[in-house]
Amino acid sequence: MKKFLAMLGIIVVLLSFAFSKELTVYVYESLSWIEEGTIQKFEEMNDCEVKVVKLGDAGNVLTRLVLEKKNPRADVVIGLDQSLAAKAVGEDLLIPYKPKNIENVRDKALLFDPECYVIPYDYGAIAIIYDPEKIQDELESFEDLTKYKNSLIIQDPRASSTGQAFLLWTIAVYENEWKDFWERLMPAILTVSPGWSDSFAKFEIGEAPMMVSYATDSAYSQYYYGSSKYKVFIPKEGAYVQIEGAGIVKGTDNLVLAEKFIEFMLTEDFQKEIPLKQWMFPVIDVGLPEVYQYAVVPEKILTIPAQEISNNLERWLKEWEALLY
């Protein structure tokens, strides 16, 4: 009888894990806004709990997934852009899932992963923002950045999705000669920060007059300061659009709930929060706040094919590291 009860107890414990109603979601730090009401809607809809784990920048999130590859602890990961998604798929960290409501995505060009390992939820152009009181010249091209010594804050492309997007942007512009441009750019770089949040904190207190950020920052400036305190500069060579997505972690014990979460991210409940909390564009039609009239819309878009990124990213990062350190 004792053996029967012990076995029954083990079965109950195993079943409790098998039908766990707690979903673990890995995000980068500045996505913490999803805990302020948005996640709660999903929890109420699905009678579950969502544990949000914040891990610095998107690069840090991917690094954690790689370290936990043999013993995954996350069910869903949010915040992988095109280059990080390619790396995650290459590392066999995700499983594909095509959500039932993927037709809600208004521009199919945003579906950068045809195999649906990563589903897009927002997008925006990378840009240079600057303080017009300190940079008074008219900026036109990438080469103009090289004229200002110790004036630019960038993010580390080995750890930051924004930093990686900026590196890819320069490769899209200069192609095989991108390292020559970086050699010219280095005197203008004041510091390389680990992520966007750290960069913006330094920029806001005036450590440097320019930083790598996003084209929606002029809308942000209008919203919070009531004026265009900072200006947005997209070089005439064209803009690089960063698309962020979410995926289901391979090895999840909560597959059904994870699938529901991916679908939730393409609903109005999630998407309507993006413009004023993430300061990116939503991927479905939810209407934009009036302040988005100040967001800079690029005239020319530059891209690098996902397969080319997947094949070359590690080499590009090593070459970048050799240049700067």
Side-chain angles (χ1 to χ4, degrees):
M1 186 62 180
K2 287 183 178 176
K3 286 185 177 178
F4 172 76
L5 291 174
M7 185 61 69
L8 183 63
I10 292 172
I11 292 172
V12 169
V13 170
L14 290 175
L15 285 174
S16 69
F17 280 113
F19 296 100
S20 170
K21 294 290 279 183
E22 181 179 270
L23 192 76
T24 300
V25 178
Y26 281 6
V27 304
Y28 53 77
E29 197 70 36
S30 58
L31 268 166
S32 59
W33 59 265
I34 65 174
E35 296 181 284
E36 301 167 359
T38 306
I39 285 295
Q40 288 76 8
K41 290 178 183 173
F42 179 79
E43 290 175 329
E44 290 170 7
M45 291 164 58
N46 294 281
D47 188 25
C48 68
E49 292 183 7
V50 176
K51 179 182 177 184
V52 177
V53 180
K54 301 179 284 289
L55 297 164
D57 210 302
N60 302 121
V61 177
L62 181 60
T63 299
R64 175 69 75 89
L65 290 180
V66 172
L67 292 173
E68 295 177 354
K69 182 175 180 179
K70 293 182 179 178
N71 184 26
R73 297 177 182 176
D75 300 299
V76 172
V77 56
I78 305 177
L80 302 177
D81 67 3
Q82 303 99 307
S83 56
L84 293 178
K87 189 172 181 179
V89 173
E91 291 279 353
D92 197 24
L93 299 173
L94 307 174
I95 57 176
Y97 175 63
K98 187 175 183 179
K100 296 170 186 172
N101 56 356
I102 199 167
E103 292 302 318
N104 291 350
V105 177
R106 66 172 182 274
D107 186 344
K108 302 313 176 211
L110 296 170
L111 301 172
F112 64 89
D113 176 9
E115 296 182 86
C116 294
Y117 284 92
V118 178
I119 302 301
Y121 61 87
D122 72 14
Y123 68 99
I126 301 295
I128 306 297
I129 61 170
Y130 66 97
D131 183 342
E133 292 186 1
K134 298 176 181 175
I135 302 288
Q136 296 178 344
D137 297 332
E138 193 70 26
L139 301 175
E140 293 185 356
S141 73
F142 267 104
E143 296 303 324
D144 288 336
L145 299 177
T146 67
K147 299 175 183 176
Y148 301 92
K149 189 173 274 189
N150 297 325
S151 297
L152 177 65
I153 301 171
I154 68 170
Q155 298 83 36
D156 190 333
R158 298 168 299 179
S160 161
S161 60
T162 314
Q164 202 164 98
F166 180 62
L167 172 62
L168 294 174
W169 189 11
T170 62
I171 293 172
V173 170
Y174 290 96
E175 299 180 339
N176 293 332
E177 296 177 355
W178 68 269
K179 285 181 283 187
D180 295 336
F181 168 72
W182 274 85
E183 286 183 349
R184 298 193 296 277
L185 181 66
M186 278 192 286
I189 298 171
L190 175 71
T191 187
V192 181
S193 68
W196 181 91
S197 298
D198 185 67
S199 290
F200 194 68
K202 294 179 186 299
F203 177 75
E204 273 207 309
I205 61 174
E207 285 194 18
M210 298 190 288
M211 73 168 274
V212 175
S213 190
Y214 293 90
T216 53
D217 281 15
S218 49
Y220 174 93
S221 185
Q222 282 287 339
Y223 186 78
Y224 283 105
Y225 306 114
S227 65
S228 296
K229 183 177 179 181
Y230 308 127
K231 286 196 171 183
V232 172
F233 165 56
I234 294 179
K236 65 182 180 182
E237 290 89 345
Y240 188 86
V241 173
Q242 184 186 39
I243 307 170
E244 296 186 302
I248 298 174
V249 178
K250 187 175 183 180
T252 174
D253 291 326
N254 295 296
L255 181 59
V256 173
L257 202 55
E259 291 175 349
K260 288 181 177 179
F261 192 85
I262 296 295
E263 296 199 5
F264 173 70
M265 294 185 70
L266 295 182
T267 65
E268 184 175 351
D269 280 336
F270 188 93
Q271 291 282 306
K272 70 181 182 183
E273 305 294 341
I274 287 175
L276 294 181
K277 293 183 176 175
Q278 187 70 0
W279 292 97
M280 298 280 272
F281 288 92
V283 297
I284 74 171
D285 285 319
V286 290
L288 291 171
E290 188 175 339
V291 73
Y292 261 64
Q293 65 181 294
Y294 298 100
V296 175
V297 178
E299 296 179 358
K300 180 181 177 182
I301 301 294
L302 302 172
T303 59
I304 300 176
Q307 192 59 50
E308 186 177 345
I309 294 174
S310 178
N311 293 342
N312 296 288
L313 184 59
E314 288 302 319
R315 176 173 61 83
W316 288 336
L317 290 172
K318 287 178 181 176
E319 291 174 345
W320 177 88
E321 183 178 297
L323 272 173
L324 269 76
Y325 298 104

